Amino acid sequence: MNQPTGRRLTFAFCLSLAFLAVTMTAAAQYYPPPPPPYPPPSSPPPQYPQRPNYPPPSSPPPQYPQRPDYPPQPSSPQVYPRYDNHPAYFSPYLMFSAGHYSGLGVGNGTAATESGGMTALGGTFGGYIIYPSPGPVHIGIDARLIVENSANSTTYGNKIFGGLFGFRIDGSDAQLPIVPYFQFEIGGVGTNNGTSTTRTSSFAYQAQFGADFPFANRQVAARIEYGAGQLTGISNVNHTLQTFSAGIVFHVR
């Protein structure tokens, strides 16, 4: 091979290497660099849509119109009787009383075979304990002291003194504006018959009818009462004892 041919081959080889380098550089610039690793370490985790709850929450029941009451109710609430069942309580009382004692030989100037009478003024003091029950009527016990002493035209005066004890029935919870009651009591009562300085005592019994009128606080009440009974065995004759009373009663409860 002569020198001109060798120079041509060397020139052609160098030119091929230059063309190959240019081609590779263009190819390298044509393709983009590879993407970074996924996901990037510094980026937050991807947010995926949440799966709906199953089973779905129950919906509130439908609101249907209410059926009207039958029969129709009155516009105002009905008031039923109030039957209290509270503990027993004590109720003291004091009353102004007038006792009328009558029978054979009673009264100043009355013969032993004639009927007469006398009236003594004073007071009645006592108290009762009521035992409530689940109903409008209650039962209790009552005890009282009668002290009546008033002057008349003679020096003896009219004197009645005694004590009675018995049972009581009242309508404490009958839903009435008053409290009616009935009592029956026995005991001993002495009287001077209007003709002596001393009193003669005997067995006595009396039935009492009355009513209490409660005040606004229902701890205090006014009272009126009438009682009728007998004193037995005085001069072998029974005599009548009536009492008319009015006063006040307190409820300790």
Side-chain angles (χ1 to χ4, degrees):
M1 181 179 302
N2 54 18
Q3 289 184 355
T5 303
R7 289 192 187 98
R8 294 188 185 98
L9 291 175
T10 301
F11 177 75
F13 179 73
C14 291
L15 185 61
S16 299
L17 289 178
F19 179 76
L20 179 61
V22 172
T23 303
M24 292 180 64
T25 301
Q29 293 179 354
Y30 178 77
Y31 292 101
Y38 182 82
S42 60
S43 61
Q47 299 296 327
Y48 298 102
Q50 298 296 322
R51 180 175 64 86
N53 294 329
Y54 188 85
S58 59
S59 59
Q63 298 296 326
Y64 297 103
Q66 299 295 322
R67 180 177 63 87
D69 293 332
Y70 187 84
Q73 298 298 321
S75 57
S76 59
Q78 185 174 0
V79 178
Y80 295 95
R82 178 179 56 86
Y83 297 152
D84 291 343
N85 193 15
H86 43 75
Y89 58 89
F90 176 63
S91 298
Y93 57 83
L94 52 93
M95 299 184 291
F96 170 79
S97 61
H100 184 71
Y101 179 65
S102 60
L104 294 177
V106 177
N108 185 37
T110 303
T113 57
E114 296 178 356
S115 295
M118 70 173 198
T119 300
L121 305 179
T124 299
F125 314 92
Y128 66 89
I129 297 176
I130 201 70
Y131 299 95
S133 59
V137 177
H138 303 322
I139 299 177
I141 55 176
D142 179 275
R144 60 179 53 194
L145 178 67
I146 302 172
V147 182
E148 297 169 340
N149 188 348
S150 59
N152 58 7
S153 58
T154 70
T155 59
Y156 304 117
N158 298 334
K159 301 178 181 178
I160 299 175
F161 179 85
L164 298 173
F165 174 83
F167 72 90
R168 169 189 175 94
I169 300 176
D170 71 19
S172 302
D173 289 318
Q175 293 298 298
L176 298 174
I178 64 174
V179 178
Y181 66 87
F182 167 77
Q183 298 179 163
F184 183 81
E185 300 182 319
I186 61 174
V189 175
T191 176
N192 72 338
N193 206 39
T195 60
S196 173
T197 57
T198 60
R199 294 188 301 267
T200 301
S201 300
S202 68
F203 174 79
Y205 65 87
Q206 190 179 60
Q208 296 127 13
F209 309 85
D212 295 339
F213 299 82
F215 294 158
N217 59 4
R218 304 194 68 84
Q219 294 296 112
V220 183
R223 164 180 290 190
I224 57 173
E225 181 185 282
Y226 168 74
Q230 285 190 332
L231 276 66
T232 63
I234 296 180
S235 301
N236 296 320
V237 178
N238 295 340
H239 296 79
T240 300
L241 176 62
Q242 301 179 78
T243 55
F244 304 86
S245 307
I248 193 168
V249 57
F250 306 90
H251 301 296
V252 182
R253 54 185 173 186

